[in-house]
Amino acid sequence: MAKQKKAPRPKAVTPKGFRDYFGAEVTQRAEMLRTIAGVYHRYGFEALESSAVETVEALGKFLPDVDRPNEGVFAWQEADVPGGGAGDWLALRYDLTAPLARVYAQHRNELPTPYRRYAMGPVWRNEKPGPGRFRQFYQCDADTVGSGSVAADAEICAMLADTLEAVGIPRGYYVVRVNNRKVLNGVLEAMGLAEDEERSAAVMRTIDKFDKVGEAGVRELLGKGRLDASGAYIDGVGLTEEQAEPVIALLTARTRLNEIGPDQDPAISYNTVVLNTLSQLVPATGEGMKGVEELMQIANLLAAQGYGPDRIVIDPSVVRGLGYYTGPVFEAELTFEITDEKGRPRQFGSVAGGGRYDDLVKRFTGQEVPATGVSIGVDRLLAALHAKGRMQAETQGPVVVTVMDRDRMADYQAMVAELRNAGIRAEVYLGNPKNFGNQLKYADKRNSPVAIIEGGDEKEKGIVQIKDLVLGAKIAETASLEEWKDRPSQFEVPRDQMVAKVQDILKGQGQ
Amino acid sequence: MAKQKKAPRPKAVTPKGFRDYFGAEVTQRAEMLRTIAGVYHRYGFEALESSAVETVEALGKFLPDVDRPNEGVFAWQEADVPGGGAGDWLALRYDLTAPLARVYAQHRNELPTPYRRYAMGPVWRNEKPGPGRFRQFYQCDADTVGSGSVAADAEICAMLADTLEAVGIPRGYYVVRVNNRKVLNGVLEAMGLAEDEERSAAVMRTIDKFDKVGEAGVRELLGKGRLDASGAYIDGVGLTEEQAEPVIALLTARTRLNEIGPDQDPAISYNTVVLNTLSQLVPATGEGMKGVEELMQIANLLAAQGYGPDRIVIDPSVVRGLGYYTGPVFEAELTFEITDEKGRPRQFGSVAGGGRYDDLVKRFTGQEVPATGVSIGVDRLLAALHAKGRMQAETQGPVVVTVMDRDRMADYQAMVAELRNAGIRAEVYLGNPKNFGNQLKYADKRNSPVAIIEGGDEKEKGIVQIKDLVLGAKIAETASLEEWKDRPSQFEVPRDQMVAKVQDILKGQGQ
């Protein structure tokens, strides 16, 4: 044996936590992004595409305090600078908000103020992948930088409602829930927890669980603790029942909708009831009351444009995890039921969220720049539309012109050119044409609506055979052999009527 | 002073060689990609979006032979695997072809054969950035994997011509040039250089310079060498004049178009003349002659679909740099002149290229899989359309509803809601409304067509003021103060006629 070592073949696999997207998965997402961009544009927002790569320094949270800052982001170090000095640490962006703050700080002298921008594209997270959790996914954001007005927050909420309807979620099947961090802080202040960061955080986490565990569950979690559905015991915050009461009142404010009489305007009454409740839960002066007033302004601005609580609702139970929010926060939830992987019905849940963050640009410039925005989880929204049966998993394949005679490829190419010029998706079979069965199997795999056959006999007679593959498949599925013989799914037409006949068949198939 | 050190503020800059894209730069590219995808789809190609991140192993060329494989790609090492073993090296893709080979090898059992796919997205190169050269840029590819037929190559060429016309390059302003690596190899064989890799490569590089240095220049470069325009002396390949003759004949084959008589079909005659010339330059049997035959088939297939040499032309001077091409190669060139940065007219040049590569999938599977494809340089194509004046640098801004009375924000929001519902891009000014001049400056910066004003007086009278900002700017530019006074660019209309009047004005502006 010779000593030569053959290089081993590389493995054909995506890196762990990454995946490929095929066909309809790509085009449906592209179409959705285009629709969303259309709504954002109509609201006056401008497109921005920042680079996928940022300096680790600009990204912030992930400063390299160890040799390799690979916590949370994918990062690497540039080559050393010629003539001395270590290269910069670079990283893939983990969201679209941190790059916006960098872009605004960098270009603020050329950009209009306020700067309304939208951005859509992949972001990357260096996290442990799990089922359905990928390390690259799409975000689709809109933000207004440089406006401290709650009108900017209200506008984002209205735009979010419009966007959901534009992509195909009917009115009544979603709700945008709005809250204000200042109100939550005010309630914590009233409870005497303003200085107790640890218990404040625990209360916030508990509020966030309201949807899952309900009022009784929250009472337990705020008090002594709770036995989980899985049998695990979850420690409580340790508040007395009296101490916990403001939180319960906050969370159940929304249910007082029932108290509204039949002859009252539900939109105005609802906001009045909820906001009255909240104003009694926060100290009479200070941040909490300011938060209630902001919510009132938002509700009024939205009511003036016709957005009632059926679309956008004040909901004191919304928290939003991110630490950087400083005022209004919002979340869009789909309210219809889907069937989960275990066959149980469940609510689809959140597909978008955002809020006001006033400190992100300050990191760069030292000056506070108010900002508010929303991020839509496009992949979740697509999943929702699929679950709701509003989107087909596969797209229609092309008409396939089969190759009966390898030497007449030019004839077949001329056929597809004719079909394409009539706006019909079409292609010639370009595999090995020897086995005709393989050509039909290919058409089947491509989900083709029609196959066209022109052998020597047909050529001589000046005709083509046209197979309706959709009808053919239906017949094969449902009819006995006898019936099959009687139902034509294959037609013989003069060559010069090929395009017209294909158009007929496609129309009949509902294309 | 306390010892506390304040963390220094991060710099708000893109990493070296990266840039941000704003507004029309983003939307025009998105629109172009959508148009191209439409053509590819009509030809039967399916979308594929592979992950931006690949294992360095799968990317191939850049295997980590040193500690940090940062030659050419942006690469990093995953964290060590728990329980032992070093993490994989990952990298950002540098093109869309290497990921296609990986995807096809990985999913070949589920994918149809042939597999026609298109892909569009950013790719990353870890190269030294230069003026106009960025380390992240877009590619837009279409490939047919699993077909060895030259019909697949011909189809790609036809699709490329259709695509260029679809994005706005008129017929006659571009040409797709087709050659075959086998012909070039045949000529080298006839010259006795088949085994001389070094001189073969030098001859190929010289052929590639034909467009720049012309016939005389090529003669010099194949012989003793040549004094460059910059004054530098370029060493020649060292061939005798006789040895160099086949290359000259190859390069000038295209110019024999003049020999075609006026009563001959130029399409057929042209191909005949060029291909006859080529067949005399390669050995009578072997690879070169096979290449000539393939070109003949491609020319015939294209002629049958009506693509003559005015759109797609056999051109023996096309080389294409990439080493992996094994058969037909093609290049799309824009033939119109633009003015370069120094004010000199020059040809715009190449915007797309591709060819047949039959070995890329083999790396993974051991089996040869024939493939052919094209890559369009979308950013260059956009630059061409801008240079040709076929695209505006800026998009129309939104109608701006100004804020005269901060307390009536709800009224102003209702106005923009009405405008948007009529399909008009509109927004309320959300900055500090105190200084009205700033609001108009903002509208100017946004390139707004119309501003709307409703102060207390207007509100009382039930009217609004509508400013035609496009007309206003024109008057300000061209008219004297007297004329300015007489030409109304501001209108007073009843509030309920606001939308109709804005529509009128936009129509008058040519929206």
Side-chain angles (χ1 to χ4, degrees):
Chain A
M1 290 290 287
K3 273 192 181 172
Q4 261 189 316
K5 244 199 214 164
K6 239 187 171 173
R9 278 189 210 134
K11 270 178 256 152
V13 288
T14 37
K16 277 186 209 76
F18 291 87
R19 60 163 291 199
D20 304 311
Y21 295 82
F22 294 88
E25 293 174 328
V26 179
T27 53
Q28 287 171 353
R29 182 165 58 200
E31 204 43 55
M32 178 175 278
L33 291 175
R34 187 177 137 86
T35 303
I36 296 174
V39 178
Y40 288 176
H41 183 262
R42 196 147 42 86
Y43 269 79
F45 287 71
E46 289 290 335
L48 167 68
E49 186 169 332
S50 62
S51 59
V53 177
E54 297 277 349
T55 63
V56 165
E57 191 192 0
L59 284 182
K61 291 202 287 190
F62 302 94
L63 283 169
D65 51 359
V66 290
D67 189 38
R68 294 229 37 225
N70 57 2
E71 293 299 311
V73 294
F74 293 105
W76 62 90
Q77 191 169 17
E78 289 257 71
D80 291 347
V81 178
D88 287 337
W89 277 94
L90 305 183
L92 290 172
R93 64 184 178 205
Y94 59 87
D95 73 1
L96 299 173
T97 311
L100 170 63
R102 192 268 303 155
V103 167
Y104 186 80
Q106 183 173 350
H107 300 280
R108 63 191 184 282
N109 293 330
E110 300 90 55
L111 292 172
T113 299
Y115 176 49
R116 284 173 161 98
R117 87 88 180 79
Y118 70 86
M120 27 192 60
V123 299
W124 293 267
R125 303 264 169 101
N126 194 355
E127 293 170 339
K128 212 180 143 210
R133 256 184 68 180
F134 296 99
R135 305 207 285 174
Q136 171 180 334
F137 56 91
Y138 267 76
Q139 288 194 335
C140 180
D141 287 20
D143 295 78
T144 299
V145 181
S147 172
S149 165
V150 288
D153 302 286
E155 182 179 80
I156 297 268
C157 292
M159 187 166 75
L160 182 52
D162 285 8
T163 301
L164 293 173
E165 293 184 22
V167 302
I169 310 286
R171 199 168 296 182
Y173 287 77
Y174 71 89
V175 65
V176 178
R177 302 152 68 210
V178 186
N179 194 13
N180 196 321
R181 278 287 175 88
K182 291 175 186 164
V183 174
L184 294 171
N185 292 341
V187 171
L188 292 170
E189 192 189 333
M191 293 163 74
L193 297 177
E195 307 293 312
D196 188 342
E197 275 188 34
E198 202 179 315
R199 288 216 280 184
S200 285
V203 170
M204 296 280 256
R205 278 196 304 274
T206 306
I207 291 173
D208 213 18
K209 286 183 190 155
F210 176 58
D211 283 348
K212 271 189 201 152
V213 302
E215 184 181 333
V218 166
R219 278 187 196 278
E220 289 175 333
L221 285 171
L222 289 175
K224 289 182 188 161
R226 182 168 183 270
L227 205 63
D228 207 354
S230 68
Y233 193 82
I234 312 293
D235 282 340
V237 184
L239 303 181
T240 65
E241 274 201 26
E242 197 187 352
Q243 273 184 305
E245 208 44 56
V247 176
I248 303 301
L250 177 91
L251 291 174
T252 54
R254 217 181 133 184
T255 59
R256 307 215 174 156
L257 203 51
N258 306 331
E259 296 168 16
I260 299 166
D263 51 345
Q264 290 171 278
D265 178 339
I268 292 167
S269 305
Y270 172 81
N271 291 331
T272 309
V273 169
V274 171
L275 293 167
N276 273 347
T277 307
L278 291 184
S279 63
Q280 286 157 26
L281 296 175
V282 297
T285 57
E287 194 188 358
M289 195 53 87
K290 186 154 192 306
V292 175
E293 279 157 19
E294 287 179 359
L295 284 178
M296 177 69 84
Q297 284 175 47
I298 289 174
N300 289 344
L301 284 170
L302 290 169
Q305 293 170 75
Y307 296 87
D310 57 325
R311 286 194 273 172
I312 306 176
V313 67
I314 305 293
D315 184 339
S317 71
V318 174
V319 174
R320 302 295 303 159
L322 285 173
Y324 59 61
Y325 290 125
T326 55
V329 285
F330 20 87
E331 189 162 86
E333 190 188 318
L334 302 187
T335 52
F336 54 80
E337 278 189 351
I338 56 153
T339 310
D340 72 8
E341 54 283 2
K342 290 183 182 167
R344 293 170 307 204
R346 65 166 181 86
Q347 298 282 97
F348 192 88
S350 172
V351 291
R356 178 165 285 281
Y357 52 99
D358 289 343
D359 298 332
L360 282 188
V361 177
K362 193 179 177 185
R363 286 185 55 235
F364 295 101
T365 64
Q367 289 173 310
E368 192 165 286
V369 178
T372 183
V374 68
S375 181
I376 295 182
V378 174
D379 293 312
R380 271 187 67 76
L381 205 44
L382 280 167
L385 289 168
H386 279 288
K388 201 62 197 153
R390 289 180 170 266
M391 245 179 204
Q392 294 194 320
E394 279 189 75
T395 45
Q396 181 75 56
V399 169
V400 171
V401 173
T402 59
V403 175
M404 301 298 286
D405 181 352
R406 197 192 276 260
D407 292 336
R408 290 200 297 106
M409 188 56 96
D411 290 353
Y412 303 131
Q413 291 286 4
M415 283 182 187
V416 290
E418 273 175 49
L419 289 163
R420 287 173 194 147
N421 288 339
I424 298 166
R425 189 180 190 203
E427 60 172 59
V428 175
Y429 179 73
L430 288 181
N432 186 338
K434 256 190 192 164
N435 181 334
F436 187 69
N438 280 349
Q439 300 199 40
L440 290 185
K441 267 185 216 154
Y442 172 83
D444 189 47
K445 196 152 200 174
R446 290 301 305 278
N447 201 23
S448 299
V450 165
I452 291 176
I453 304 158
E454 189 202 52
D457 292 353
E458 284 88 4
K459 174 76 178 171
E460 211 164 280
K461 287 196 273 175
I463 57 152
V464 294
Q465 304 280 351
I466 301 182
K467 275 177 97 76
D468 180 337
L469 299 173
V470 175
L471 181 59
K474 265 190 212 150
I475 291 172
E477 243 177 50
T478 60
S480 72
L481 195 61
E482 278 314 298
E483 288 171 288
W484 163 270
K485 276 182 178 165
D486 296 339
R487 292 280 301 277
S489 66
Q490 183 161 335
F491 310 90
E492 201 176 285
V493 300
R495 170 67 179 80
D496 60 5
Q497 287 169 33
M498 176 189 72
V499 171
K501 182 67 190 172
V502 170
Q503 278 171 328
D504 269 3
I505 295 175
L506 293 179
K507 214 187 251 172
Q509 289 174 359
Q511 306 307 314
Chain B
M1 289 289 285
K3 272 189 179 175
Q4 261 188 316
K5 244 198 211 163
K6 239 187 169 175
R9 278 189 210 135
K11 268 178 258 151
V13 288
T14 37
K16 277 184 210 75
F18 291 87
R19 59 162 291 197
D20 304 311
Y21 295 82
F22 294 89
E25 293 175 328
V26 179
T27 52
Q28 287 172 353
R29 183 165 58 200
E31 205 41 56
M32 177 175 279
L33 291 175
R34 186 176 138 87
T35 302
I36 296 174
V39 179
Y40 288 176
H41 183 262
R42 195 147 44 85
Y43 269 81
F45 287 71
E46 289 289 336
L48 168 67
E49 185 168 332
S50 62
S51 59
V53 178
E54 297 275 349
T55 64
V56 165
E57 191 191 0
L59 283 183
K61 291 201 286 188
F62 302 92
L63 283 168
D65 52 356
V66 289
D67 187 40
R68 294 227 37 225
N70 57 3
E71 292 299 310
V73 294
F74 294 103
W76 62 90
Q77 191 168 18
E78 290 258 68
D80 291 348
V81 179
D88 287 337
W89 275 94
L90 304 183
L92 290 173
R93 65 185 177 204
Y94 59 88
D95 73 2
L96 300 172
T97 311
L100 170 63
R102 191 267 304 156
V103 167
Y104 186 80
Q106 182 173 351
H107 301 280
R108 64 190 183 282
N109 293 330
E110 300 91 54
L111 291 172
T113 298
Y115 177 48
R116 283 175 163 97
R117 87 88 180 78
Y118 70 86
M120 28 193 60
V123 300
W124 292 266
R125 304 263 169 101
N126 194 355
E127 293 171 340
K128 210 179 145 216
R133 257 184 70 181
F134 296 99
R135 304 207 285 175
Q136 172 179 334
F137 57 92
Y138 267 76
Q139 288 193 334
C140 180
D141 286 21
D143 294 78
T144 299
V145 181
S147 172
S149 166
V150 288
D153 302 286
E155 182 180 80
I156 296 268
C157 292
M159 187 165 75
L160 182 51
D162 286 8
T163 302
L164 292 173
E165 293 185 22
V167 301
I169 309 286
R171 200 168 295 181
Y173 288 77
Y174 71 89
V175 66
V176 178
R177 301 153 69 209
V178 186
N179 195 12
N180 196 319
R181 278 287 176 90
K182 291 175 185 163
V183 174
L184 294 171
N185 292 341
V187 171
L188 292 170
E189 192 188 334
M191 292 164 73
L193 297 178
E195 308 294 313
D196 187 342
E197 275 187 35
E198 200 179 315
R199 287 216 282 183
S200 286
V203 170
M204 296 280 256
R205 278 197 304 275
T206 306
I207 291 172
D208 213 16
K209 288 183 189 154
F210 176 58
D211 282 348
K212 272 189 202 153
V213 302
E215 184 182 334
V218 167
R219 277 186 197 279
E220 289 176 333
L221 286 170
L222 290 175
K224 290 183 187 160
R226 183 170 182 268
L227 205 63
D228 208 353
S230 68
Y233 193 82
I234 312 294
D235 283 339
V237 183
L239 304 180
T240 65
E241 275 200 24
E242 199 186 351
Q243 272 183 306
E245 208 44 57
V247 176
I248 302 300
L250 177 92
L251 291 174
T252 54
R254 218 182 133 185
T255 60
R256 307 217 174 156
L257 203 50
N258 307 331
E259 296 168 16
I260 299 165
D263 49 346
Q264 290 170 278
D265 179 339
I268 293 167
S269 305
Y270 173 82
N271 291 331
T272 311
V273 169
V274 172
L275 293 166
N276 275 346
T277 307
L278 293 184
S279 63
Q280 286 156 24
L281 295 175
V282 297
T285 56
E287 193 188 359
M289 195 52 87
K290 185 153 192 306
V292 174
E293 279 157 20
E294 286 179 0
L295 284 178
M296 177 69 84
Q297 286 175 47
I298 289 174
N300 289 344
L301 284 169
L302 290 168
Q305 294 169 74
Y307 295 89
D310 57 325
R311 286 193 274 172
I312 307 177
V313 67
I314 305 294
D315 184 339
S317 71
V318 174
V319 174
R320 301 295 304 159
L322 286 173
Y324 59 62
Y325 291 124
T326 55
V329 285
F330 19 89
E331 188 161 87
E333 191 186 317
L334 302 187
T335 53
F336 55 79
E337 279 189 349
I338 56 151
T339 309
D340 72 7
E341 54 285 2
K342 290 184 182 165
R344 293 170 305 204
R346 64 167 183 85
Q347 298 283 98
F348 192 89
S350 171
V351 291
R356 177 164 287 280
Y357 52 98
D358 289 344
D359 298 332
L360 283 187
V361 178
K362 193 178 177 184
R363 287 184 56 233
F364 296 101
T365 64
Q367 289 173 312
E368 193 165 287
V369 179
T372 184
V374 68
S375 181
I376 294 181
V378 174
D379 293 313
R380 271 188 67 75
L381 205 44
L382 280 168
L385 288 168
H386 278 288
K388 200 64 194 152
R390 290 182 169 264
M391 246 180 204
Q392 293 195 319
E394 278 189 75
T395 46
Q396 182 76 54
V399 169
V400 171
V401 172
T402 58
V403 175
M404 301 298 287
D405 181 352
R406 199 193 276 261
D407 292 336
R408 290 201 297 106
M409 189 55 97
D411 290 351
Y412 302 132
Q413 292 286 4
M415 283 183 188
V416 290
E418 274 176 49
L419 289 164
R420 287 174 193 146
N421 288 339
I424 298 166
R425 190 179 190 206
E427 60 172 57
V428 174
Y429 180 72
L430 288 181
N432 186 337
K434 256 191 191 164
N435 180 336
F436 187 68
N438 280 350
Q439 300 199 41
L440 290 185
K441 267 186 215 154
Y442 172 83
D444 189 46
K445 197 153 197 173
R446 290 300 306 277
N447 201 22
S448 299
V450 165
I452 291 175
I453 303 158
E454 189 202 50
D457 291 353
E458 285 87 4
K459 174 77 178 170
E460 211 162 282
K461 287 196 272 179
I463 58 152
V464 293
Q465 304 280 352
I466 301 183
K467 276 176 97 75
D468 180 337
L469 298 173
V470 175
L471 181 57
K474 267 190 211 150
I475 292 172
E477 243 178 49
T478 61
S480 70
L481 194 62
E482 278 314 298
E483 288 170 288
W484 163 271
K485 277 183 178 163
D486 297 340
R487 291 280 300 278
S489 66
Q490 183 161 335
F491 311 90
E492 201 177 288
V493 300
R495 170 69 180 80
D496 60 5
Q497 286 170 34
M498 176 189 72
V499 171
K501 183 67 190 172
V502 170
Q503 278 171 327
D504 270 2
I505 294 175
L506 293 179
K507 214 188 250 171
Q509 290 174 357
Q511 307 306 315

